[in-house]
């Protein structure tokens, strides 16, 4: 029954069919696994007639009338509405300094309002209520919704809806499925002893609990079970991958300490303790006969590139133990062309003077350093570059995805470095790692050789060592989960002498904005540059009232040029520009050909313009803290004092508290932990990055649960065939095939 199409199980209209498809619901299983996003509680809803001053009620109401006006004394602009609830009682709502609300909640809009009750001249009103727009006011206690179990069930599931399908409809269909026996022959993929050990409900109970809980603790237990299950299976797949890597061989790289000293002596600074530890770990990893799989995590500017360059230098200058051929090569893959060029430039600077040859390959062009004909790097043809990579003349190849395109073969790839690995698919990573294999198949040359400490063993697959770099600070529990196959090193200290970014929260009043602009003007006058980050590219469609407030990069650039900074030159960067255009804008900005770069979040990662020491982030309340932290990281690349201005529409204490963390937290990791705790507030963009469901993210707040899932997975995976657990094995294979975690 689980695989039966829903359309066979109950009658659906065409609109409903389309709606189901939009939600990805095709079979009975899909629907049973379509979990409520939350639970409503009828007993907690208030009516206008019952509320009192100082309370914070939740009221379902319709907007009867609304307008923008000036407050009588202060001349402050505001919105004022009259709301009517389902019992027909009315109450006023006011939003101070938010005249645009009158556009966002036109008359007739139904919404859930949450705000504090104030009182003026004997009349109660809601102050700055938050709201969730809904289709229509639900029928409550008195109505016929869930009438059969109205007596005991005050909790009701709320599902994500789409046009043509309501939450209520979904609930009735789920109940019908369960009543018709959908759960009767369902097999639980989690072994009974694990369920018992962690006090988790069986699959059947959990499915009932999650859709129709009698009490909140039932729903919680069910969610905990599904979260555990998801984390457990991710761990199982990751641990399996780890074992697979460890079965492969790798080149044993034991660099000469005196050679490494040549690298560090040239730096002109002392490595931080964090960098030294990272280097020690990496050197230990690559001296082993099993391939390294290490993730180096550190804030922007913490010195990851330097560590990667040192690992690269060690690899290309060391004759691996027991080898019979020339020297090893390194491939370095970056997520964007801008970043690849940046890394190429960094590597030419760090390694060029030490006599190392470096190539660059992007979708568009190729470069090589040193040049045979000129000083610096020369542009060469792709064919030429490929030839030099294949014969080992290019020792280090930096590139975008072009690096793993067909036909790029290394002579002897010893180390792969991947920047911001979450931007790459698993397949692409595997493709890079399997280069020697591919080469063998394509060129039919010498058989890869596994080198062990004892000598050579033929016919074993050799994988290059892998070093992954990320500036995306993620909480430890999430790292343990999605990078479960990697060893983790964290650079949690910054090189000395860095100035801390002075971060200011700017509320959306004219005065506060102008104040911030004046401070930036002073910095521009001192010769510095500035970023302005906007959440949108083009002017918002005014018919979509919700986006009215979101600044568009293009329109904002125009506005700043005419109204705010007419004396300065302004450029625009966004994702709709062609690659060439983007590169050109970045080149001009880094050459200070203009002063202010207005941009969407495309500048998020790794762009390095040391002279840009100011950043404004518009709509800051819309981003996760980690993302804000990364955006802010753009301005810490120089010795000048950096400034960050968070322009935010602060509607709630939580938002303020959250953004305040940016001023107080010591580093990105602390912020990532905050993000995790504040998750679910609906204020974050880019949640989907990790590929973990919202449900499992809840669980990831809980280190004990994650560690338990990890330990169980590590134990069970030892039984290589998973032979004792057929249901688990089936689920494992399914997850293995479908998991896409980046
Ligand atoms: P990341 O790649 O983590 O963003 P980089 O390796 O690019 O950081 O380093 C950022 C800047 O700091 C570079 O200009 C680099 O030369 C410098 N730097 C790195 N490590 C140190 C250090 N230990 N002391 C002083 N400066 C450093
Ligand atoms: Mg870097």
């Amino acid at each position: 029954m689980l695989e039966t199409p829903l359309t066979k199980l109950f009658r659906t209209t065409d609109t409903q069919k389309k709606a189901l498809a939009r939600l990805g619901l095709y079979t009975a299983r899909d629907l049973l696994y379509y979990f409520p996003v939350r639970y409503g509680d009828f007993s907690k809803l208030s009516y206008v007639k019952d509320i009192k001053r100082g309370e914070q009620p939740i009221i379902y109401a319709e907007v009867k009338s609304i307008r923008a006006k000036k407050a009588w004394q202060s001349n402050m602009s505001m919105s004022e509405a009259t709301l009517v609830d389902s019992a027909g009682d009315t109450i006023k709502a006011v939003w101070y300094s938010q005249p645009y609300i009158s556009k966002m909640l036109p008359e007739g809009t139904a919404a859930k309002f949450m705000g504090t009750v104030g009182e003026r001249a004997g009349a109660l009103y809601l102050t700055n209520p938050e709201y969730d727009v809904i289709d229509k006011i639900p029928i409550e206690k008195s109505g016929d919704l869930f009438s059969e179990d109205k007596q005991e069930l005050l909790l009701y599931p709320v599902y994500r809806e789409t046009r043509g399908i309501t939450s209520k409809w979904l609930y009735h269909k789920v109940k019908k499925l369960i009543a018709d026996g959908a759960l009767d022959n369902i097999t639980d993929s989690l072994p009974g002893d694990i369920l018992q050990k962690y006090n988790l409900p069986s699959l059947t109970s959990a499915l009932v609990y999650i859709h129709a809980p009698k009490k909140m603790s039932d729903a919680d237990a069910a969610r905990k079970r599904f979260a555990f299950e998801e984390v457990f299976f991710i761990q199982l797949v990751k641990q399996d991958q780890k074992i697979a890597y460890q079965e492969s061989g790798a080149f044993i790289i034991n660099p000469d300490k005196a050679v490494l000293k040549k690298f560090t002596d040239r730096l002109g600074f002392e490595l931080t303790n964090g960098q030294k530890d990272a280097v020690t770990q990496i050197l230990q990893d690559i001296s082993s006969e099993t391939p390294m799989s290490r993730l180096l995590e550190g804030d922007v500017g913490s010195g990851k590139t330097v560590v990667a360059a040192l690992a690269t230098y060690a690899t290309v200058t060391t004759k691996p133990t027991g080898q019979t051929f020339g020297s090893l090569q390194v491939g370095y893959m970056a997520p964007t062309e801008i970043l690849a060029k940046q890394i190429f430039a960094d590597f030419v600077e760090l390694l060029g003077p030490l006599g190392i040859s470096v190539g660059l390959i992007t979708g568009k062009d190729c470069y090589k350093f040193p040049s045979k004909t000129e000083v610096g790097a020369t542009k060469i043809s792709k064919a030429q570059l490929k030839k030099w990579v294949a014969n080992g003349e290019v020792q280090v190849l930096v590139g975008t995805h072009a690096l793993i395109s067909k036909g790029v073969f290394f002579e002897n790839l010893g180390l792969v470095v991947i920047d911001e690995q979450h931007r790459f698919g698993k397949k692409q990573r595997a493709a890079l790692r399997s280069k020697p294999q591919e080469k063998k198949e394509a060129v039919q040359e010498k058989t890869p050789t596994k080198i062990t400490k004892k000598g050579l063993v033929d016919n074993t697959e050799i994988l290059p060592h892998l070093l992954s770099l990320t500036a995306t600070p993620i909480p430890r529990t999430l790292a343990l989960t999605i990078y479960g196959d990697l060893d983790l090193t964290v650079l949690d200290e910054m090189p000395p002498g860095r100035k801390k970014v002075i971060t200011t929260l700017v509320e959306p009043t004219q005065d506060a904005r102008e104040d911030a602009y004046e401070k930036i003007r002073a910095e521009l006058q001192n010769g510095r540059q500035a970023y302005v980050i906007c959440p949108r590219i083009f002017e918002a469609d005014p018919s979509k009232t919700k986006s009215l407030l979101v600044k568009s990069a293009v329109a904002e650039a125009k506005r700043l040029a005419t109204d705010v900074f007419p004396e300065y030159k302004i450029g625009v960067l966004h994702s709709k520009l062609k690659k060439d255009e983007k590169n050109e804008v970045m080149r001009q900005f880094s050459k200070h050909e203009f002063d202010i770069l207005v941009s969407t979040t495309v500048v998020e990662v790794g762009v390095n313009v040391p002279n840009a020491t100011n950043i404004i982030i518009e709509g800051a309340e819309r981003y996760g803290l980690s993302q804000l932290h990364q955006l802010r990281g753009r301005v810490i690349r120089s010795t000048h004092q950096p400034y960050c201005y968070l322009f935010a529409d602060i509607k709630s204490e939580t938002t303020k508290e959250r953004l305040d963390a940016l001023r107080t937290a010591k580093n990105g990791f602390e912020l990532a932990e905050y993000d995790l705790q504040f998750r679910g507030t609906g204020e974050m963009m880019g949640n989907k990055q990790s590929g973990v469901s919202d449900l499992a993210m809840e669980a990831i707040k809980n280190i004990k649960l994650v560690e338990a899932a990890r330990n169980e997975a590590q134990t069970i995976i030892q039984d290589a065939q998973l032979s004792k657990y057929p249901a688990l094995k089936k689920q494992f294979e399914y997850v293995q095939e479908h998991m896409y975690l980046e």
Side-chain angles (χ1 to χ4, degrees):
M1 173 161 178
L2 286 181
E3 308 312 326
T4 316
L6 292 171
T7 46
K8 292 234 167 74
L9 293 169
F10 37 78
R11 229 179 306 135
T12 44
T13 64
D14 278 352
T15 319
Q16 286 167 337
K17 273 193 198 104
K18 278 193 203 125
L20 284 169
R22 258 200 310 281
L23 297 176
L25 306 178
Y26 301 96
T27 63
R29 179 195 299 275
D30 294 340
L31 186 54
L32 283 174
Y33 277 86
Y34 191 68
F35 298 155
V37 282
R38 60 188 175 82
Y39 303 88
D41 183 352
F42 283 136
S43 58
K44 289 230 180 81
L45 289 176
S46 301
Y47 288 91
V48 168
K49 67 175 165 43
D50 300 328
I51 64 178
K52 296 188 184 60
R53 176 184 186 158
E55 288 178 346
Q56 290 187 308
I58 303 172
I59 298 173
Y60 280 116
E62 210 172 276
V63 178
K64 196 171 162 199
S65 63
I66 190 161
R67 66 194 176 117
K69 59 179 242 182
K70 297 273 184 204
W72 182 62
Q73 281 161 321
S74 62
N75 207 28
M76 181 202 281
S77 47
M78 59 188 272
S79 297
E80 186 180 279
T82 303
L83 311 177
V84 53
D85 74 5
S86 62
D89 296 308
T90 61
I91 185 168
K92 276 210 159 61
V94 293
W95 290 269
Y96 297 108
S97 308
Q98 299 171 71
Y100 50 86
I101 299 264
S102 62
K103 298 253 171 10
M104 296 164 83
L105 287 173
E107 278 162 30
T109 309
K112 190 170 87 177
F113 295 91
M114 290 151 289
T116 308
V117 182
E119 185 175 346
R120 187 186 296 140
L124 297 178
Y125 65 97
L126 293 174
T127 333
N128 295 328
E130 298 207 14
Y131 56 85
D132 263 335
V133 175
I134 52 177
D135 278 352
K136 54 175 184 299
I137 299 176
I139 309 153
E140 291 137 38
K141 291 172 203 168
S142 53
D144 63 358
L145 185 63
F146 311 132
S147 52
E148 61 279 31
D149 41 24
K150 190 173 59 191
Q151 295 317 313
E152 73 267 32
L153 183 71
L154 289 173
L155 285 180
Y156 61 97
V158 179
Y159 300 89
R160 196 161 55 81
E161 300 182 332
T162 184
R163 205 168 51 79
I165 283 186
T166 62
S167 175
K168 185 177 153 187
W169 187 88
L170 287 163
Y171 181 45
H172 281 296
K173 296 308 171 214
V174 169
K175 279 180 60 163
K176 182 169 163 21
L177 284 183
I178 294 177
D180 290 350
L183 304 183
D184 291 355
N185 295 310
I186 206 159
T187 32
D188 199 332
S189 53
L190 284 180
D193 48 347
I194 290 187
L195 295 179
Q196 220 166 24
K197 188 160 163 195
Y198 300 103
N199 203 9
L200 300 169
S202 71
L203 180 59
T204 312
S205 309
L207 283 170
V208 173
Y209 286 170
I210 205 155
H211 291 291
K214 291 262 188 277
K215 43 190 196 305
M216 212 49 207
S217 58
D218 285 352
D220 289 343
R223 297 178 81 82
K224 186 174 155 200
R225 183 222 138 95
F226 289 116
F228 180 93
E229 185 177 339
E230 183 173 338
V231 173
F232 172 78
F233 278 102
I234 293 171
Q235 290 286 359
L236 215 50
V237 172
K238 291 290 171 182
Q239 295 307 320
D240 183 62
Q241 283 171 358
K242 187 169 192 171
I243 290 174
Y245 293 152
Q246 287 171 346
E247 278 167 357
S248 306
F251 293 115
I252 297 172
I253 303 167
N254 260 318
D256 183 341
K257 292 278 158 351
V259 175
L260 294 185
K261 197 163 172 301
K262 274 203 231 158
F263 179 93
T264 41
D265 282 353
R266 271 203 74 257
L267 282 177
F269 50 75
E270 174 97 1
L271 293 180
T272 64
N273 287 332
Q275 284 171 318
K276 282 182 191 158
D277 289 348
V279 168
T280 308
Q281 280 172 333
I282 290 167
L283 293 181
Q284 188 167 355
D285 288 349
I286 63 176
S287 70
S288 144
E289 66 203 38
T290 48
M292 167 169 78
S293 298
R294 186 167 292 280
L295 175 66
L296 181 60
E297 225 188 324
D299 276 356
V300 170
S302 60
K304 297 181 297 300
T305 302
V306 172
V307 172
L310 179 55
T312 297
Y313 186 62
T315 303
V316 298
T317 53
T318 308
K319 219 170 140 73
T321 309
Q323 67 124 341
T324 52
F325 50 84
S327 61
L328 294 173
Q329 290 162 293
V330 175
Y332 190 128
M333 189 151 73
T336 66
E337 193 172 331
I338 294 177
L339 271 171
K341 291 208 155 134
Q342 182 94 55
I343 296 292
F344 177 67
D346 287 351
F347 270 42
V348 165
E349 197 187 311
L350 288 165
L351 302 174
L354 295 163
I356 308 299
S357 56
V358 190
L360 173 70
I361 180 167
T362 69
K364 202 182 70 202
D365 43 27
C366 299
Y367 287 83
K368 179 175 176 289
F369 175 93
S371 162
K372 292 207 164 126
T373 51
E374 45 197 296
V375 186
T378 359
K379 192 163 171 167
I380 57 173
S381 73
K382 189 169 176 194
Q384 187 62 64
L385 182 85
K386 279 184 347 193
K387 200 179 121 202
W388 281 334
V389 173
N391 71 14
E393 192 162 333
V394 166
Q395 295 169 283
V396 180
L397 181 61
V398 178
T400 56
H401 287 79
L403 193 78
I404 54 172
S405 62
K406 284 218 169 66
V408 178
F409 297 115
F410 289 84
E411 165 94 358
N412 285 298
L413 185 59
L415 169 69
V416 167
V417 184
I418 296 181
D419 216 332
E420 291 303 327
Q421 74 149 349
H422 65 281
R423 306 208 163 212
F424 290 100
K426 202 167 65 193
K427 284 210 187 91
Q428 291 152 332
R429 236 189 296 172
L432 241 187
R433 293 190 64 140
S434 65
K435 268 289 124 128
Q437 196 66 16
E438 193 178 331
K439 178 183 147 205
K440 181 189 89 182
E441 282 155 19
V443 191
Q444 290 295 324
E445 268 186 359
K446 58 187 173 232
T447 318
T449 309
K450 172 161 174 161
I451 299 107
T452 69
K453 289 193 179 96
K454 296 186 201 84
L456 300 178
V457 181
D458 279 340
N459 290 325
T460 313
E461 187 192 16
I462 287 202
L463 284 180
H465 295 289
L466 172 76
L467 177 64
S468 238
L469 311 177
T470 180
T472 314
I474 61 172
R476 211 182 109 70
T477 46
L478 184 59
L480 278 178
T481 305
I482 63 178
Y483 304 131
D485 58 329
L486 303 178
D487 299 315
L488 191 63
T489 302
V490 176
L491 287 182
D492 57 4
E493 94 193 277
M494 294 296 261
R498 287 297 154 75
K499 296 216 167 67
K500 204 170 178 311
V501 186
I502 297 180
T503 301
T504 316
L505 252 172
V506 181
E507 304 211 22
T509 64
Q510 202 56 33
D511 282 359
R513 275 185 170 263
E514 268 161 25
D515 209 43
Y517 287 142
E518 282 320 306
K519 287 192 181 127
I520 288 178
R521 194 186 317 278
E523 289 298 305
L524 296 175
Q525 265 159 13
N526 284 337
R528 304 285 83 74
Q529 287 162 278
Y531 295 100
V532 176
I533 309 294
C534 298
R536 286 185 62 94
I537 304 171
F538 297 106
E539 190 72 80
D541 175 355
S543 65
K544 301 212 176 84
T545 44
K546 278 213 167 156
S547 51
L548 261 184
L549 260 199
V550 180
K551 295 258 181 201
S552 92
V554 174
E556 182 64 1
K558 221 182 269 168
R559 188 185 75 85
L560 290 172
T562 42
D563 300 350
V564 186
F565 297 113
E567 71 273 40
Y568 289 105
K569 288 209 196 102
I570 297 182
V572 189
L573 186 70
H574 56 72
S575 55
K576 289 276 152 56
L577 291 178
K578 299 218 175 64
K579 257 191 201 161
D580 290 3
E581 295 170 328
K582 274 188 219 166
N583 288 342
E584 181 55 17
V585 172
M586 277 322 295
R587 191 197 60 75
Q588 289 177 353
F589 190 55
S590 62
K591 291 273 171 338
H592 203 163
E593 287 172 23
F594 58 90
D595 306 283
I596 301 170
L597 178 63
V598 182
S599 160
T600 55
T601 51
V602 286
V603 289
E604 191 182 330
V605 180
V607 171
N608 193 0
V609 181
N611 192 46
T613 53
N614 302 275
I615 186 165
I616 289 180
I617 302 172
E618 292 277 358
E621 76 282 358
R622 298 162 53 91
Y623 298 95
L625 297 178
S626 312
Q627 203 180 359
L628 288 171
H629 179 67
Q630 267 182 292
L631 287 168
R632 176 172 70 173
R634 300 305 109 228
V635 296
I636 54 168
R637 295 294 184 132
S638 90
T639 45
H640 297 289
Q641 173 62 52
Y643 299 92
C644 170
Y645 299 91
L646 302 170
F647 285 14
D649 184 5
I650 299 165
K651 282 212 210 77
S652 68
E653 265 308 301
T654 337
T655 309
K656 191 164 158 46
E657 208 180 293
R658 211 167 63 85
L659 292 176
D660 249 358
L662 280 162
R663 299 196 290 126
T664 52
K666 276 198 295 299
N667 54 41
F669 304 97
E670 227 173 88
L671 290 170
E673 301 291 343
Y674 270 107
D675 263 346
L676 187 60
Q677 298 311 324
F678 282 111
R679 188 167 272 276
T681 56
E683 296 188 60
M684 304 206 316
M685 300 196 341
N687 285 8
K688 296 285 166 268
Q689 239 178 27
S690 66
V692 172
S693 78
D694 287 350
L695 185 94
M697 282 312 297
E698 271 174 47
I700 282 174
K701 288 180 187 176
N702 181 346
I703 179 105
K704 284 214 185 90
L705 187 147
V706 172
E707 277 171 354
R710 184 178 165 89
N711 289 340
E712 295 302 335
Q714 273 169 345
T715 312
I716 281 191
I717 204 74
Q718 303 297 341
D719 177 6
Q721 301 304 313
L722 299 175
S723 50
K724 273 183 270 171
Y725 311 97
L728 182 143
K729 183 164 182 242
K730 210 168 141 207
Q731 177 73 0
F732 167 72
E733 283 162 2
Y734 179 86
V735 174
Q736 212 172 19
E737 208 174 297
H738 291 86
M739 188 168 71
Y740 187 78
L741 280 179
E742 299 308 330

